[in-house]
Amino acid sequence: MNLPFMETGVILIVDDNPNNLEVLSEALIDTGWEILIAVNGEGAIAQAEYACPNIILLDVMMPGIDGFATCKRLKSNPKTCDIPIIFMTALSETVDKVKGLNLGAVDYITKPFEQEEVLARVKTHLKIYNLSQQLQTQNQQLKQEISERLAVELQLQKLTQELEQRVQERTFQLQQAQINLVQQEKMSALGELVAGIAHEINNPVNFILGNLNHASEYTQNFIDLLYLYQQYYPEPEVEIAQKIDEIDLDFLIQDFPQIISSMHKGTKRLAQMIHSLRHFSRRDDAAAKPTDIHEGIENTLLILQYRLKANPERPAIEVIREYESLPLVECFPGPINQVFMNLLANAIDAIEEGMGIAHWGLEQGFCQPITPKIWIRTSLKAQSSTVTIQIADNGIGMTEEVKQRLSEPMFTTKPVGKGTGLGLSITRQIIEEKHDGAIWFVSEAGEGTQFWIEIPLIRKESQPHS
Ligand SMILES: Nc1ncnc2c1ncn2[C@@H]1O[C@H](COP(=O)(O)OP(=O)(O)OP(=O)(O)O)[C@@H](O)[C@H]1O
Ligand SMILES: [Mg+2]
């Protein structure tokens, strides 16, 4: 007889009765299976462990340890616990059948044996055992596959995260590079324009200034000469007397030098302004150089003068300077001036926005008039070899939302055409990256804003190596 589901196999028959052993062996011999025999429990346990049979037919009543005790021990041994056990009991022993099944047996066959039945039951259980083994193997494979897939998925997740992070980093770098580019282009174009205009104006202004010195001297000479005439010819001709009256000579003599003097003052201021413009747009910035920070601030303020003056919407902005004596700071003067320009322009914008609201509040009668102010404080921290520049305003201040979004490049609360939202990003870059400095601020909506910048007196690259 063939067992198509399992070509070869081992079957262990355990019985102390030689008759039974013979009958069973006969019943199973044609299957082509290897048949092992044990005549007591101990022998069965030893053989099961050694030969690993595919099924065990186990008698209940045996001398020494009986079938139940043998079954218990087989089930508690990891090597033999999975081998299906079929009990062999007498027909009437119902209690034994239940006990055997409770101990983990898969079935029972009753004595006297029916050959057909024995074969059928053994076949069925072998099939079940075989299928369950296959299932277990498949299960194992499935588990293995799942864990492999999970590992791949985890790897994939990790890679995706890394990729996302890289994209973010690259995007940030790109944004920074774009900002730099825009800024460089803007500044070089503006710088060139300003420097060009300043240069063109400089010559005629110097020319006027120089000539005004002569004009003032000549005027004085003319006046002296007139006085001499008056002294020697106190009674002039009628026509001359009439002309003196007509032109109000006394007033003219008094006013003319004053006109020349104010022209002189105005032109000197113009020359100063040109000097500031040329300094502000310095293009000789390839290397850091010892720089007077206060001069930079003053130049910037001079350029912003037109915005600080009073206008129909508000009084003049008062600039309060609290300068400590500072040494020259090794920095890039052009970019540093740009920082002052950005922070001061922001302060003026904030004040104007604040004044708009205050104006409305005044009209409504619940607001005190305030004087718009900008404080500029400088200090030297000898201990850390840094200088600190504080620029504060009593403008509109920043809401929590504005403060949180401030690190976003291109963030602005100003209308299109007025603000690009680049000022602070550029400022941060100039301070942190170009100068190894720090920048921070405190702001309260409706109260004003204070910015601090801190830069080292000497740049790292130029410090001697220790
Ligand atoms: N002193 C300040 N007081 C109140 N808000 C400020 C002040 N400085 C900056 N801000 C806020 O931060 C935003 C971003 O400033 P940033 O200088 O970067 O750009 P901007 O001034 O809007 O435009 P840009 O400087 O390019 O002309 C401003 O729009 C404003 O809302
Ligand atoms: Mg700005």
Side-chain angles (χ1 to χ4, degrees), residues 81-93:
C81 65
D82 288 332
I83 305 171
I85 295 171
I86 298 176
F87 270 112
M88 300 183 287
T89 63
L91 246 181
S92 55
E93 294 162 344

Side-chain angles (χ1 to χ4, degrees), residues 305 307-311 313-319 351 355 370-374:
Q305 196 57 41
R307 292 204 60 199
L308 295 166
K309 279 187 198 154
N311 65 32
E313 267 87 52
R314 59 159 177 81
I317 297 172
E318 197 182 324
V319 177
I351 283 173
M355 291 312 278
I370 54 157
T371 311
K373 285 183 190 155
I374 290 176

Side-chain angles (χ1 to χ4, degrees), residues 190-208:
L190 190 71
E192 222 144 283
L193 189 75
V194 169
I197 294 172
H199 178 79
E200 287 308 310
I201 299 175
N202 193 39
N203 281 343
V205 164
N206 278 332
F207 168 75
I208 295 171

Side-chain angles (χ1 to χ4, degrees), residues 341-343 345-347 349 412 414 418-424:
M341 178 60 104
N342 279 332
L343 294 183
N346 278 352
D349 288 345
T412 182
K414 295 168 194 172
K418 183 143 198 269
T420 61
L422 284 174
L424 284 179

Side-chain angles (χ1 to χ4, degrees), residues 208-209 212-213 215-216 254-271:
I208 295 171
L209 201 61
L212 271 174
N213 288 330
S216 142
Q254 190 203 345
D255 200 40
F256 196 38
Q258 279 178 18
I259 289 177
I260 298 276
S261 158
S262 60
M263 278 161 75
H264 193 259
K265 264 191 214 151
T267 319
K268 262 192 111 163
R269 232 175 110 68
L270 253 174

Side-chain angles (χ1 to χ4, degrees), residues 207-415:
F207 168 75
I208 295 171
L209 201 61
N211 283 345
L212 271 174
N213 288 330
H214 295 301
S216 142
E217 195 189 319
Y218 296 165
T219 311
Q220 202 49 54
N221 288 344
F222 275 128
I223 291 168
D224 291 348
L225 185 69
L226 264 175
Y227 281 142
L228 264 182
Y229 267 110
Q230 277 180 340
Q231 202 180 324
Y232 287 101
Y233 305 101
E235 298 297 332
E237 298 295 321
V238 178
E239 205 179 333
I240 293 174
Q242 270 177 354
K243 195 70 189 171
I244 287 173
D245 268 358
E246 198 186 306
I247 63 171
D248 196 353
L249 185 64
D250 287 340
F251 173 75
L252 205 145
I253 290 173
Q254 190 203 345
D255 200 40
F256 196 38
Q258 279 178 18
I259 289 177
I260 298 276
S261 158
S262 60
M263 278 161 75
H264 193 259
K265 264 191 214 151
T267 319
K268 262 192 111 163
R269 232 175 110 68
L270 253 174
Q272 219 175 7
M273 184 75 118
I274 289 162
H275 172 81
S276 295
L277 280 175
R278 292 175 88 184
H279 256 252
F280 187 82
S281 59
R282 294 162 80 136
R283 280 165 299 159
D284 49 352
D285 267 353
K289 56 181 62 154
T291 305
D292 182 343
I293 292 289
H294 293 148
E295 192 192 342
I297 298 173
E298 287 307 316
N299 281 338
T300 313
L301 283 171
L302 204 67
I303 290 164
L304 283 171
Q305 196 57 41
Y306 76 102
R307 292 204 60 199
L308 295 166
K309 279 187 198 154
N311 65 32
E313 267 87 52
R314 59 159 177 81
I317 297 172
E318 197 182 324
V319 177
I320 301 156
R321 297 163 172 86
E322 292 170 24
Y323 291 167
E324 247 184 37
S325 149
L326 297 182
L328 296 180
V329 177
E330 201 180 296
C331 63
F332 297 91
I336 283 291
N337 285 346
Q338 215 177 312
V339 166
F340 299 145
M341 178 60 104
N342 279 332
L343 294 183
L344 287 166
N346 278 352
I348 297 172
D349 288 345
I351 283 173
E352 291 192 329
E353 244 186 283
M355 291 312 278
I357 292 172
H359 193 69
W360 176 81
L362 276 174
E363 275 178 1
Q364 303 293 311
F366 59 76
C367 201
Q368 292 293 314
I370 54 157
T371 311
K373 285 183 190 155
I374 290 176
W375 291 263
I376 308 172
R377 301 187 183 102
T378 59
S379 56
L380 172 69
K381 268 201 216 158
Q383 221 174 13
S384 55
S385 299
T386 54
V387 288
T388 307
I389 302 129
Q390 184 194 357
I391 295 178
D393 64 72
N394 60 352
I396 192 159
M398 292 184 227
T399 61
E400 285 307 312
E401 196 215 333
V402 170
K403 279 192 261 183
Q404 267 169 19
R405 299 190 56 194
L406 217 54
S407 55
E408 294 172 22
M410 316 281 281
F411 169 74
T412 182
T413 53
K414 295 168 194 172

